């Protein structure tokens, strides 16, 4: 069985790694049963946004690199469609696996579905119900054309059933992000990133920001950074800045504001070091999707700077709290600094075995 696995952006690498490992395990029992081909679209291309994840997650080099790079939504999606179609026509796989909700996910699913190649979507069914997020459009459209919908949490199943997707296509398997986290945690425990950045355990806040709604507008980004400057008077903040955000900080002349605060900007860090930074943070402030899940599993409080989340279990069961206005940032931070702790529990099937379940479903359906 020839399977093409497509990745392109930072969170994709974290989701693809356990799938490749599960295929390897399957092949160890049934030699040659699955022939995986790894395609990297090149949506993310900086060393710290791409290659470092291949090392940290022990991923093999991609078999095929499309090199599409940055661009508008239409440019990125269009280039992937054109380039991936050529690969699919040549390789004729039985299945294409796509993960997450980035432009590479939708473009790859569309290229395959139009050639009548089955698509499996890993992390299906998540919904923020906010169509101004590009990811929400990617999620809905990818799910609509996929044959296998692998959900990370029960809410995903409900969302898909509500959209009229037949239940035979839906498989609740758990969260592949957690597979990677549990696999890499022992290495993260040995990371020396805290010493490198001169940080002390539980005496700093970890910050990431990259959602267009937060970082693309001058007013929004300035408001958030001013609120964070206030928070940094109580506790230092370390900020591995996404390239989108770093470009906008410079464009809007906000470097000075940061220099005058106790916010330290660093390059995006590799996966192992970033896990270590999360584990030892007093709390995490973010607008990331995956980090809401990782902090829940690590039991670290997470303040998410967004109006909505497609990952509601991180709130109902985990350690996540939504902050839907800039004015809410400082009070929420002070609450944690004053000792309010949300412990939370680990959601069902976030146990390190999601990828194995996925490969099992694919193999048993292929027979
Ligand atoms: C993308 C995803 C988003 C995901 C995020 C993970 C879409 C629509 N968005 O957002 O869902 O949460 O990745 O990080 O797919 N850039 C670099 N170097 C890189 C990568 C990007 O300089 O290696 C810069 C470029 O200027 C690029 C910009 O960042 O144009 C935005 O990159 P892009 O992949 O379009 O969107 P992200 O904001 O990364
Ligand atoms: N991450 C990382 N280094 C960083 C920031 C994030 O390794 O500097 C990891 C993080 O642990 C998680 C993934 O990247 O596994 C999340 O990616 P991102 O926040 O870019 O995307 P999203 O999940 O929002 O789509």
């Amino acid at each position: 069985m020839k399977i093409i696995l497509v990745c392109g952006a930072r969170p994709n690498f974290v989701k693809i790694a356990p799938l490749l490992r599960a295929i390897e395990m399957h092949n160890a029992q049934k030699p040659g049963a699955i022939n995986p081909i790894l395609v990297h679209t090149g949506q993310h291309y900086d060393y710290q946004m791409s290659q470092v994840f291949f090392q940290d997650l022990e991923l093999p080099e991609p078999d095929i690199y499309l090199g599409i790079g940055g661009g508008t939504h239409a440019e990125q999606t269009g280039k992937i469609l054109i380039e991936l179609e050529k690969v699919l026509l040549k390789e004729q796989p039985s299945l294409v696996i796509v993960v997450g909700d980035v432009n590479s996910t939708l473009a790859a699913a569309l290229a395959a579905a139009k050639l009548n190649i089955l698509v499996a979507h890993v992390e299906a069914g998540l919904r923020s119900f906010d169509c101004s997020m590009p990811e929400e459009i990617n999620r809905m459209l990818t799910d609509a054309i996929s044959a296998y919908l692998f959900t990370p949490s029960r809410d995903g199943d409900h969302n898909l059933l509500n959209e009229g997707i037949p239940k035979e296509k839906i498989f609740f398997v758990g969260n592949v992000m957690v597979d990677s986290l549990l696999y890499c945690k022992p290495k993260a425990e040995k990371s020396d990133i805290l010493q490198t950045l001169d940080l002390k355990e539980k005496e700093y806040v970890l910050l990431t920001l990259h959602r267009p709604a937060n970082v693309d507008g001058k007013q929004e980004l300035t408001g958030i950074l001013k609120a964070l400057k206030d928070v940094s008077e109580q506790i230092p903040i370390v900020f591995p800045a996404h390239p989108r955000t770093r470009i906008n900080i410079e464009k809007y002349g906000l470097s000075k504001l940061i220099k005058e605060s106790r916010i330290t900007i660093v390059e995006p860090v590799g996966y192992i070091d970033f896990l270590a930074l999360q584990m030892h943070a007093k709390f995490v402030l973010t607008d990331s999707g995956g980090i809401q899940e990782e902090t829940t599993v690590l039991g670290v409080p997470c303040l998410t700077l967004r109006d909505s989340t497609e990952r509601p279990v991180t709130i109902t069961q985990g350690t996540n709290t939504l902050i839907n206005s800039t004015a809410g940032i400082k009070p929420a931070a002070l609450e944690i600094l004053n000792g309010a702790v949300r412990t939370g529990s680990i959601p069902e099937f976030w146990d390190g075995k999601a990828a194995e379940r996925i490969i099992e479903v694919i193999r048993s359906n292929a027979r």
Side-chain angles (χ1 to χ4, degrees), residues 306-361:
R306 287 176 44 185
D307 298 337
S308 60
T309 179
E310 60 291 331
R311 290 160 163 94
V313 286
T314 61
I315 296 177
T316 53
Q317 290 188 50
T319 58
N320 188 19
T321 306
L322 287 188
I323 308 291
N324 57 14
S325 75
T326 309
I329 295 175
K330 194 174 176 192
L334 287 180
E335 222 177 280
I336 298 175
L337 293 176
N338 290 332
V341 181
R342 284 192 61 191
T343 41
S345 59
I346 309 282
E348 190 183 359
F349 277 3
W350 289 25
D351 59 357
K353 296 193 165 71
E356 288 170 43
R357 289 186 199 102
I358 290 168
I359 299 307
E360 181 51 38
V361 169

Side-chain angles (χ1 to χ4, degrees), residues 23 27 44 57 60 84 108 118 145 152 154 182 188 222 229 245 253 264 269 273 288 307 310-311 315 317 321 355 361:
I23 290 174
N27 281 346
H44 285 177
L57 291 155
L84 189 66
L118 294 180
I145 55 175
R154 297 272 183 201
L182 297 178
T222 308
K229 180 174 185 251
T245 313
T264 305
V269 295
D273 286 342
S288 158
D307 298 337
E310 60 291 331
R311 290 160 163 94
I315 296 177
Q317 290 188 50
T321 306
V361 169

Side-chain angles (χ1 to χ4, degrees), residues 171-182:
F171 303 89
F172 169 51
V173 290
N175 192 332
V176 286
M177 290 289 281
V178 182
D179 293 8
S180 278
L181 187 158
L182 297 178

